[in-house]
Amino acid sequence: MLSGTGIIFSGILFCLIGSFFAFALIARKGLPSFNAPFFAVSLLVCCCMVVFALLFWLPADFVSGVSAPAFAVPAIALPALALLTLAFPKPWVQFIALTVCCGGIVFGFGIDIAFSAALPAVVNRFLTALLWLTICYCPRILNLNPGLIGIQTLALTLGGMLLYFIGALPLALGFLSACVAACFIGFLIAGRQNPNLQMSDQMSNLLGFLLGWLIIYASAEGAGSCFAIFALYPLVEIVFAMSQKLTFLPRFAIAKNNTFYLRVIDAEMTPSIVNRHLLRINAVCVLFGSFQTFAPNDYSIPLFCLLVVLWQLYRIYNWRHISYSLKETNQKFINDVRENIQEISQNLKNKGRKKK
């Protein structure tokens, strides 16, 4: 009988070899591939999770009472969703499918995060399903290049694997984290040799479903604050992009074009350089996220890490003008906000005139 560590490293080996083989086959056609890479990942993850649920399941491993079928169903749903997306690429079809899957799994198997003990169980489950569905649409905002989305996926999955090794997550979630991390290590390595390996926005939604599966089940086990730290950079980007989109200004209409990432890229600060800086930021988040397991509350370390992430992003953004004083920085920020408010006000006045 394999130990937990042996099971995890067997999964890593299988997914690494499988991903290299799959990506090599995809790369042979020599054309950009936007859907096939993640479909290959979904098949590898599905095979590993189903085998784990059948052969290595430990019923007492989950304190939240997750059963083997409850763990295996998202794995089976993942390639089915990928096939449905390939057959019917309409966004509304995928949205309905993701809503049914998230809601069906949460309510069908009783998976819920205790957002508040004062709330009824059905409300907590509704909020859990809503959170999972929201996570599905988060990776597309960061789907700007394979390196960026791969780094963020690795931050979550390597963090999940580390939590297993320090006893904060059950073996099943450690195994899931390890397999997904191995697949994306293969994706990043293969992508360096073949830039045609990409990921479409619709497939990035399915990556969100996969990561949501890990985050929701880990949060049900009490590790939600750890994963919030692992995901601090993506959360900052999402808030930054969506807050601009909600101004309804035409130049902010596409959320992924509003990201901090695109603002810092230029001839000198290339995507590869920015990715290396973000890799270091995520490494710090993974380290502190593992410390959060032993923290006396859910707030102190996440708040501290948020300040660290914001400071590091500020340094990247102002790498040419890091010598600005605090007064000059505040003045620059206020001027930018004032310009946006004036533009919003002008747009509202123009709409009011058109109605008249």
Side-chain angles (χ1 to χ4, degrees), residues 32-279:
S33 298
F34 296 97
N35 296 319
F38 186 78
F39 180 64
V41 169
S42 70
L43 290 176
L44 289 170
V45 171
C46 178
C47 291
C48 289
M49 297 309 115
V50 170
V51 169
F52 179 89
L54 291 174
L55 301 180
F56 304 110
W57 186 257
L58 300 174
D61 207 13
F62 279 84
V63 297
S64 58
V66 173
S67 63
F71 182 74
V73 163
I76 297 169
L78 189 62
L81 286 168
L83 283 174
L84 181 67
T85 300
L86 292 173
F88 304 98
K90 297 290 185 182
W92 65 267
V93 174
Q94 188 186 64
F95 174 77
I96 292 173
L98 287 171
T99 303
V100 170
C101 284
C102 295
I105 293 169
V106 167
F107 284 95
F109 294 99
I111 309 295
D112 60 349
I113 302 170
F115 288 93
S116 172
L119 293 174
V122 67
V123 176
N124 278 321
R125 286 179 188 170
F126 173 78
L127 293 175
T128 302
L130 183 62
L131 175 61
W132 193 347
L133 183 62
T134 302
I135 294 171
C136 291
Y137 286 89
C138 289
R140 69 183 295 141
I141 295 178
L142 296 177
N143 189 25
L144 301 169
N145 63 60
L148 178 61
I149 202 166
I151 288 169
Q152 304 315 310
T153 301
L154 286 177
L156 290 166
T157 52
L158 291 177
M161 189 167 65
L162 181 59
L163 290 182
Y164 162 72
F165 282 115
I166 63 177
L169 280 185
L171 174 59
L173 294 180
F175 184 68
L176 172 61
S177 299
C179 290
V180 177
C183 288
F184 273 85
I185 288 172
F187 179 65
L188 288 175
I189 294 173
R192 288 176 64 90
Q193 300 171 348
N194 179 22
N196 287 327
L197 290 175
Q198 305 284 332
M199 189 180 298
S200 68
D201 282 347
Q202 284 195 308
M203 286 297 169
S204 70
N205 296 340
L206 301 187
L207 172 60
F209 177 81
L210 172 57
L211 295 176
W213 170 22
L214 173 62
I215 292 169
I216 295 299
Y217 281 50
S219 298
E221 292 291 297
S225 58
C226 299
F227 276 86
I229 295 174
F230 299 155
L232 273 177
Y233 167 69
L235 288 173
V236 169
E237 280 284 35
I238 289 164
V239 171
F240 185 71
M242 293 306 298
S243 61
Q244 293 173 85
K245 182 178 175 64
L246 291 176
T247 63
F248 300 105
L249 296 175
R251 59 195 173 98
F252 297 137
I254 302 174
K256 67 190 301 181
N257 292 343
N258 304 333
T259 55
F260 162 86
Y261 186 86
L262 289 182
R263 291 196 177 192
V264 300
I265 289 174
D266 58 22
E268 295 178 60
M269 187 71 81
T270 61
S272 61
I273 294 174
V274 179
N275 287 350
R276 284 199 293 271
H277 285 294
L278 295 178
L279 185 61

